[in-house]
Amino acid sequence: SLAPGAPDSSTFTATYTITQADIDAGRVENLATVQGTAPDGAVVNAQSHDGTGTAGTPTVMPLEQRGALTLTKAGQWVDAGGNGFADPGERVEFTFTAGNTGNVTLTNISPVDDGITVAGEPAAGGLSAFTPALATLAPGEEQAFTASYTLTESDIHGWEMRNAATARGTAPDSSTVESAPSQVTVT
């Protein structure tokens, strides 16, 4: 019960559990309605405001958004001929594992490969397209991508393959998030 002009800022409390959608939106909006009964039995209502005095204006509480990715890359030469030697046409299979270590959902995640270097020179072949091409990851989730490289005759002489990649994705605010590079050497 309140006398005319009397405030009460301590009687009512509420708790709201933040959702992933709230974090992805970067804020929580809250609008409350207070209801009371006048001495004549009439019901009186009022909506909250954000401090501007305009009733019905929700209070907006910003939430920190932190997009972060990791990438772990591995490569393995596949000895299809079974002879223990690299032959033209054999493949190096790569696995790229991207992880969302931030607090927002990231979309359009894919590895970004700077190209393969064989024995200090750019390789003549090419890295196949990533499978899957893109992923969406909630915080704490991981996605493995695969790609392969087909060896050419020139790759095999003095053979050591070095390759680095990063993972890139899009945060809810449309900013680009990129992991630190992950490098692998296959001999």
Side-chain angles (χ1 to χ4, degrees), residues 98-183:
N100 183 346
T101 57
N103 72 340
V104 292
T105 302
L106 301 175
T107 59
N108 302 317
I109 298 169
S110 183
V112 178
D113 201 291
D114 66 358
I116 295 173
T117 302
V118 178
E121 297 294 325
L127 195 66
S128 69
F130 299 109
T131 303
L134 297 172
T136 296
L137 296 176
E141 291 184 335
E142 290 186 341
Q143 172 69 54
F145 298 83
T146 59
S148 63
Y149 175 81
T150 302
L151 297 173
T152 65
E153 181 68 40
S154 63
D155 293 335
I156 297 169
H157 302 290
W159 201 73
E160 181 180 84
M161 178 178 282
R162 286 185 297 279
N163 188 237
T166 59
R168 220 177 262 159
T170 305
D173 65 1
S174 299
S175 65
T176 299
V177 178
E178 187 167 357
S179 73
S182 178
Q183 183 166 329

Side-chain angles (χ1 to χ4, degrees), residues 22-166:
D22 296 330
I23 297 170
D24 290 347
R27 66 179 183 253
V28 171
E29 291 187 14
N30 181 259
L31 183 63
T33 301
V34 63
Q35 187 177 72
T37 305
D40 64 0
V43 176
V44 180
N45 294 303
Q47 284 190 318
S48 65
H49 59 82
D50 64 355
T52 62
T54 305
T57 307
T59 300
V60 178
M61 291 157 279
L63 300 175
E64 178 188 6
Q65 293 181 309
R66 185 179 43 81
L69 277 171
T70 60
L71 184 74
T72 304
K73 182 176 180 179
Q76 178 67 46
W77 160 58
V78 179
D79 185 8
N83 60 7
F85 300 101
D87 297 309
E90 291 183 333
R91 293 183 327 275
V92 176
E93 299 291 340
F94 290 100
T95 301
F96 307 79
T97 303
N100 183 346
T101 57
N103 72 340
V104 292
T105 302
L106 301 175
T107 59
N108 302 317
I109 298 169
S110 183
V112 178
D113 201 291
D114 66 358
I116 295 173
T117 302
V118 178
E121 297 294 325
L127 195 66
S128 69
F130 299 109
T131 303
L134 297 172
T136 296
L137 296 176
E141 291 184 335
E142 290 186 341
Q143 172 69 54
F145 298 83
T146 59
S148 63
Y149 175 81
T150 302
L151 297 173
T152 65
E153 181 68 40
S154 63
D155 293 335
I156 297 169
H157 302 290
W159 201 73
E160 181 180 84
M161 178 178 282
R162 286 185 297 279
N163 188 237
T166 59

